[in-house]
């Protein structure tokens, strides 16, 4: 099987590895502390046979399970953009960051026949910024859901905490029950939540550092960890991997219609 194309940016601020397959950042290591911010499974498949387990998967043009009409074919969870090769449009060196632009030239597919354009712009500086930008080039509005499904590397999920989330969340592990966000946010079981308050910043408090996750253009934040039992369902995760990552996702999950001739940008910045 062919290997997907990866490239690494190494500038004064950080190093980052990006896969053209899926337009997916796989690694981000700031130079000031040389700590890897992203988790990448050692069992991730890099042969283009399936989405890469880790980094920042681009979920587009829908989030989660396909909810539309049947298309006589299996519809991939989280859309198909992360399962396609993207084109490197430009790579621009600036003082504060290297800015990489990737484009999915043919972005139509089963479930998404609409005239559209989609780009991912990645800025590698002291922080990492990823922007997923969708343009409606047609004459009618179309539904869009999406997420930057980021896997954050952590030392141990069981001693991790989050801050910045509040309000109601929808709990996938409890049949989408609507529940209150705990004031002390820790992990003790499989966690799969859509937080309906669009927090501008979520902090991940690990033992060695706090990682700030800033979001723009979102309507929700998804938090996921499969825990021990859940991990067994993933061939591309080691049984103990659940301890080493948490997903904090900048997401558009609540039924967004992109008007004709307009553009929407979903952006996550990691420090
Ligand atoms: O974002 C959380 C989630 O939807 C979970 O329910 C789980 O399915 C996870 O994404 C991983 O999905 P994937 O299709 O990448 O295996």
């Amino acid at each position: 099987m062919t290997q997907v194309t990866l490239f690494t940016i190494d500038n004064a601020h950080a190093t980052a590895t990006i896969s053209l397959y899926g337009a997916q950042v796989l690694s981000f290591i700031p130079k000031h502390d040389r700590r890897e911010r992203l988790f990448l499974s050692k069992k991730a498949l890099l042969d283009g046979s399936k989405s890469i387990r880790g980094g920042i998967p681009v979920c587009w043009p829908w989030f989660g399970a396909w909810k539309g009409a049947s298309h006589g074919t299996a519809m991939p969870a989280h859309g198909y953009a992360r399962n396609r090769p993207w084109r490197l449009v430009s790579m621009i060196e600036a003082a504060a960051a290297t800015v990489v632009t990737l484009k999915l030239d043919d972005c139509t597919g089963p479930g998404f026949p609409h005239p559209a354009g989609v780009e991912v712009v990645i800025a590698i500086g002291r922080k990492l910024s990823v922007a997923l930008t969708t343009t409606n080039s047609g004459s009618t509005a179309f539904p869009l859901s999406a997420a930057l499904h980021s896997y954050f590397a952590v030392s141990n999920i069981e001693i991790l905490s989050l801050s910045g989330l509040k309000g109601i969340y929808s709990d996938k592990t409890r049949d989408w029950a609507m529940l209150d966000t705990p004031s002390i946010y820790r992990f003790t079981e499989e966690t799969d939540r859509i937080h309906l308050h669009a927090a501008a910043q979520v902090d991940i408090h690990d033992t060695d550092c706090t990682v700030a996750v800033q979001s723009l253009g979102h309507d929700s934040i998804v938090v996921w960890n499969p825990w021990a039992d859940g991990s067994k369902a993933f061939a591309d995760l080691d049984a103990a991997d659940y301890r080493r990552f948490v997903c904090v996702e900048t997401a558009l999950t609540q039924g967004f219609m992109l008007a004709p001739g307009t553009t929407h940008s979903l952006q996550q910045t990691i420090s």
Side-chain angles (χ1 to χ4, degrees):
M1 292 280 248
T2 57
Q3 288 298 309
V4 299
T5 301
L6 309 179
F7 62 95
T8 295
I9 303 291
D10 184 350
N11 63 27
H13 310 287
T15 60
T17 299
I18 297 167
S19 165
L20 283 184
Y21 176 78
Q24 195 162 333
V25 182
L26 303 184
S27 169
F28 173 62
I29 305 175
K31 290 266 169 75
H32 68 86
D33 66 5
R34 298 198 182 279
R35 183 197 185 274
E36 173 64 75
R37 291 305 192 270
L38 301 176
F39 166 85
L40 180 65
S41 171
K42 290 185 176 56
K43 292 186 173 179
L45 295 179
L46 297 176
D47 59 8
S49 63
K50 78 177 295 291
S51 56
I52 299 170
R53 180 71 59 194
I56 306 178
V58 172
C59 301
W60 189 94
W62 63 83
F63 173 83
W66 169 250
K67 300 175 184 66
S70 165
H71 280 263
T73 175
M75 300 293 275
H78 294 321
Y80 49 73
R82 62 180 180 160
N83 299 321
R84 289 189 180 182
W86 291 56
R87 177 168 60 88
L88 176 62
V89 173
S90 63
M91 186 182 296
I92 297 169
E93 289 292 341
T98 304
V99 181
V100 175
T101 299
L102 305 173
K103 188 174 177 63
L104 187 58
D105 286 319
D106 172 11
C107 60
T108 59
F112 191 84
H114 312 294
V118 63
E119 287 189 346
V120 168
V121 179
I122 304 162
I124 298 104
R126 184 177 173 85
K127 299 182 180 182
L128 173 75
S129 173
V130 179
L132 170 61
T133 300
T134 307
T135 298
N136 182 343
S137 49
S139 57
T140 56
F142 57 65
L144 177 68
S145 61
L148 295 169
H149 193 299
S150 306
Y151 286 71
F152 291 93
V154 301
S155 52
N156 181 348
I157 191 73
E158 296 181 45
I159 55 176
L160 190 80
S161 67
L162 304 182
S163 63
L165 292 162
K166 63 181 181 180
I168 297 295
Y169 68 86
S170 178
D171 189 334
K172 184 176 181 180
T173 69
R174 291 175 171 81
D175 200 19
W176 299 111
M178 296 293 197
L179 300 169
D180 280 321
T181 299
S183 52
I184 307 290
Y185 204 117
R186 290 191 179 279
F187 297 82
T188 57
E189 59 183 9
E190 181 184 359
T191 304
D192 198 343
R193 302 170 177 176
I194 299 179
H195 288 271
L196 302 175
H197 165 70
Q201 179 167 328
V202 176
D203 288 333
I204 302 171
H205 301 282
D206 201 344
T207 51
D208 59 341
C209 78
T210 291
V211 177
V213 182
Q214 296 171 305
S215 299
L216 288 172
H218 60 311
D219 62 11
S220 47
I221 296 284
V222 179
V223 175
W224 178 60
N225 183 280
W227 215 245
D229 288 344
S231 289
K232 292 169 187 162
F234 298 96
D236 52 2
L237 275 179
D238 186 76
D241 276 342
Y242 77 96
R243 300 169 65 87
R244 290 189 278 272
F245 77 85
V246 64
C247 286
V248 177
E249 306 163 33
T250 297
L252 200 56
T253 60
Q254 298 303 300
F256 177 80
M257 292 295 286
L258 186 59
T262 68
T263 290
H264 175 274
S265 189
L266 189 65
Q267 184 172 347
Q268 184 178 86
T269 300
I270 299 165
S271 69

